[in-house]
Amino acid sequence: MQLEAMDGNNKRARWMVGAALTAVVVVVVTTVLILGGRNVGGAPATARVWAAVASFRQGSIDLSSSPPAAARHDDRLYNGLLTDSFDEESCHSRYQSAMYRGKPGRRPSAYLISKLRRHEALQRRCGPGTTAYSNALEQLRAGSMSTIAPPECAYIVSISYSGLGNRILAAASAFLYAVLTDRVLLVDPSNDMDDLFCEPFPGTTWLLPPGFPVANYTGFGVDTAESYGNMVRNKVVVESGGVADAASTAGRRLPLPAFAYVHLHNDATVEDNYFFCDGDQRLLRRVQWLAVRTDSYIVPGLFLVQAFQGELDRMFPERDAVFHHLGRYLFHPSNHVWGLVTRYYDAYLATAQQRVGIQVRVFGAQPNSPELLEQITSCTQKQKLLPELRLATGEPTPPPPPVPASRARSKAVLVTSLKSWYYEKLKSMYWEHAAATGEAVSVHQPSHEEYQRSGARSHEHKAWAEMYLLSLTDVLVTTGVSTFGYVAQGLAGVRPWVLYKSTNSSAVPDPPCGWDVSMEPCFHKPPSYDCRLKQWTADISKDVPYIQHCHDLTWGLKLVGRNK
Ligand code: GDP
């Protein structure tokens, strides 16, 4: 009885919510049609309605002052980057994220889109559950040696370790390599990689199924005998480092194992880094299974391989948008994480006129740093990202704003950090003092986990939600050399203001920050062996016009939009 009554109440409540939503949509749609003559950038009516509803959800429709509804981004497939063939319920973020973004971001090239669709077909044809996959596993179990040119279905397993930002950049790098070499990408599900993201490829899984026959592969390291570097050193493969061309030596038909481990962690040896050489890539094509271990964004290294350059140029005519596209294509928060993102965004960030993200990467044992706080305030105020304080300039307290707070210009600041101290200080500053511009500044921090606890589920959920929330801000300030910030800036499509590392921990660097040269992540440990010249080099990027050193790590490399 009671259950039935509750059921009746629930139905009524649902009906009332439904009726209220319908009324809202009718009002919004009518508003859009009435305002139809205003600048809508040629967007079709349905898109305008979609954008208006999106704006309404975000509370950003203010008929007196807000820009036309269509100013909000309305292409939920990111200009064709995503395919329409998923069940929306399985992954809300995939088709909803675009309406949370202030700017649409860069447009993917038609060639990239066609490569992605072709790659999706490959993942389906050769992925887990197919006969091709079972056969390939058989070859691996049997330890077969191969002399034939590239097998029909080949695989790369991305090992998931280290912090979440590292894992995301590693998987994105492995994916680009997979696209370039026609390999199926399989992601090792460790560290909650199976729980944080939706599946990116329709009709198949990107997760490596249980029972992978290579024992302890997740624990492989620089000394592992199966690593490509050690195979080179032990002469299991003879052609390497660009020293000889695979097609022109006696070793041309040398049998190769079905499996090789590619060690690109930051202790990689010179032989491991032969991975970035053309001759070695020709050899690796014949190895059916690769497992790669990296915690870095190795993509700039792939741009050093001559054989890949033509394809990369066609896929990414804008070289500074590689991770931007790969990230938006691959990493969709799972429904649980998306709930964390949207509830927070809707509650604290949606109504502000501008959102400023500040990522403060700190480490557990590090004391709170007044110098870093000063660096953050000095950077944000000098660059006019946040207003100066009225009292700090010695002026009298201003009169209350002439308009209600809800109509005043407002900024919402999203602080992400393992500690709450920086957030508390910033929040107090803008509460205790008026902004010189009269703006209302609110400061928010979703969590402060105190210590990095990679692999702990709820910690990982929060980390991913916060990275994603940062990517929904309009302006970003980041602490350098952090993959957490790199992921946010790439997904956002925003060049961050990077807080320079102080050489003297008790002094604030001058200038406190600089606008990064591109939104691309930095490759922290690039190779220093020039395969073409067959010699060591201090600057591997010198002949590549669109790769330059990172501001936040001088020996690191990053892709830039214009030639250096
Ligand atoms: P990196 O170490 O700065 O390159 O970034 P990673 O994301 O790879 O690793 C840092 C890890 O520490 C994150 O993945 C989180 O687990 C945790 N962490 C660091 N900063 C934050 C933060 O601001 N918020 C949350 N929730 N977790 C953080």
Coordinates of all heavy atoms in Angstrom, one line a residue, residues 163-166 361 416-418 447 449 452 459 462-463 466-467 482-484, ligand 1:
G163 N 49.9 9.8 -11.6 CA 48.7 10.6 -11.3 C 47.7 10.6 -12.5 O 48.1 10.2 -13.6
L164 N 46.5 11.1 -12.3 CA 45.5 11.0 -13.4 C 45.9 11.9 -14.6 O 45.7 11.4 -15.7 CB 44.2 11.5 -12.8 CG 43.0 11.6 -13.8 CD1 42.8 10.2 -14.4 CD2 41.7 12.1 -13.2
G165 N 46.5 13.0 -14.4 CA 46.9 13.8 -15.5 C 47.9 13.1 -16.4 O 47.8 13.0 -17.6
N166 N 48.9 12.4 -15.7 CA 49.9 11.6 -16.4 C 49.2 10.5 -17.2 O 49.5 10.3 -18.4 CB 50.8 11.0 -15.4 CG 51.7 12.0 -14.7 OD1 51.4 12.3 -13.5 ND2 52.7 12.5 -15.3
R361 N 49.1 23.5 -7.8 CA 49.6 22.1 -7.5 C 50.5 22.2 -6.3 O 51.6 22.9 -6.4 CB 50.4 21.6 -8.8 CG 51.0 20.3 -8.6 CD 50.0 19.2 -8.5 NE 50.6 17.8 -8.7 CZ 50.7 16.9 -7.7 NH1 50.3 17.2 -6.5 NH2 51.2 15.7 -8.0
T416 N 41.6 25.0 -7.6 CA 41.8 23.5 -7.4 C 43.1 23.4 -6.7 O 44.1 23.9 -7.2 CB 41.7 22.7 -8.6 OG1 42.8 23.0 -9.5 CG2 40.4 22.9 -9.4
S417 N 43.1 22.6 -5.7 CA 44.4 22.3 -5.0 C 44.2 21.2 -4.0 O 43.1 20.9 -3.6 CB 44.8 23.6 -4.2 OG 46.0 23.4 -3.6
L418 N 45.3 20.6 -3.6 CA 45.2 19.6 -2.6 C 44.9 20.2 -1.2 O 44.5 19.6 -0.2 CB 46.4 18.7 -2.5 CG 46.5 17.7 -3.7 CD1 47.9 17.0 -3.7 CD2 45.5 16.6 -3.6
S447 N 37.2 20.6 -3.5 CA 37.7 19.7 -2.5 C 39.1 20.0 -2.1 O 39.7 20.8 -2.8 CB 37.7 18.2 -3.0 OG 38.8 18.0 -3.9
E449 N 42.0 17.5 -0.9 CA 42.2 16.1 -0.5 C 43.5 15.9 0.3 O 43.8 14.8 0.8 CB 42.3 15.2 -1.8 CG 41.0 15.1 -2.5 CD 40.1 14.0 -1.9 OE1 40.4 12.9 -2.0 OE2 39.2 14.4 -1.2
Q452 N 48.0 13.3 -2.4 CA 47.7 12.6 -3.6 C 47.5 11.1 -3.3 O 48.3 10.5 -2.6 CB 48.9 12.7 -4.6 CG 48.8 11.9 -5.8 CD 49.8 12.3 -6.9 OE1 50.5 13.3 -6.7 NE2 50.0 11.4 -7.8
H459 N 38.8 9.7 -4.6 CA 39.9 10.7 -4.9 C 40.0 10.9 -6.4 O 40.1 12.0 -6.9 CB 41.2 10.2 -4.2 CG 42.3 11.0 -4.5 ND1 42.6 12.2 -3.8 CD2 43.3 10.9 -5.4 CE1 43.7 12.7 -4.3 NE2 44.2 12.0 -5.3
K462 N 37.1 12.9 -7.8 CA 37.2 14.3 -7.6 C 38.3 14.9 -8.5 O 38.1 16.0 -9.0 CB 37.6 14.6 -6.1 CG 36.4 14.3 -5.2 CD 36.8 14.5 -3.8 CE 35.8 13.8 -2.8 NZ 36.4 13.7 -1.5
A463 N 39.4 14.2 -8.6 CA 40.5 14.8 -9.4 C 40.0 15.0 -10.8 O 40.3 16.1 -11.4 CB 41.7 13.9 -9.4
E466 N 37.5 17.9 -11.1 CA 38.1 19.2 -10.9 C 38.9 19.6 -12.1 O 38.9 20.7 -12.6 CB 39.0 19.2 -9.6 CG 38.1 19.3 -8.4 CD 38.8 19.1 -7.1 OE1 39.9 19.7 -7.0 OE2 38.3 18.5 -6.2
M467 N 39.6 18.6 -12.7 CA 40.3 18.9 -13.9 C 39.3 19.4 -15.0 O 39.6 20.3 -15.7 CB 41.0 17.6 -14.5 CG 42.4 17.6 -14.5 SD 43.0 16.0 -15.1 CE 43.8 15.3 -13.7
S482 N 52.8 20.7 -14.5 CA 51.8 19.8 -13.9 C 50.8 19.3 -15.0 O 50.2 20.1 -15.7 CB 50.9 20.6 -12.9 OG 49.8 19.8 -12.5
T483 N 50.8 18.0 -15.1 CA 49.9 17.4 -16.1 C 48.4 17.6 -15.8 O 47.6 17.7 -16.7 CB 50.2 15.9 -16.3 OG1 50.0 15.3 -15.0 CG2 51.6 15.6 -16.7
F484 N 48.1 17.9 -14.5 CA 46.8 18.2 -14.1 C 46.3 19.5 -14.8 O 45.2 19.5 -15.4 CB 46.8 18.4 -12.6 CG 45.4 18.4 -11.9 CD1 45.0 17.3 -11.2 CD2 44.6 19.6 -11.9 CE1 43.8 17.3 -10.6 CE2 43.4 19.6 -11.2 CZ 43.0 18.4 -10.5
Ligands
GDP1 P1 50.8 16.2 -11.8 O1 51.5 15.3 -10.8 O2 50.8 17.6 -11.3 O3 51.5 16.2 -13.2 O4 49.3 15.8 -12.0 P2 48.6 14.4 -11.9 O5 47.2 14.6 -12.2 O6 49.3 13.4 -12.8 O7 48.9 13.9 -10.5 C1 48.5 14.6 -9.4 C2 47.4 13.9 -8.6 O8 47.3 14.5 -7.3 C3 46.0 14.1 -9.2 O9 45.8 13.2 -10.2 C4 45.2 14.0 -8.0 O10 45.0 12.6 -7.7 C5 46.0 14.7 -7.0 N1 45.7 16.2 -7.1 C6 46.7 17.1 -7.3 N2 46.1 18.4 -7.3 C7 44.8 18.2 -7.1 C8 43.7 19.0 -7.0 O11 43.7 20.2 -7.2 N3 42.4 18.5 -6.8 C9 42.3 17.1 -6.6 N4 41.1 16.6 -6.4 N5 43.3 16.3 -6.7 C10 44.6 16.8 -6.9

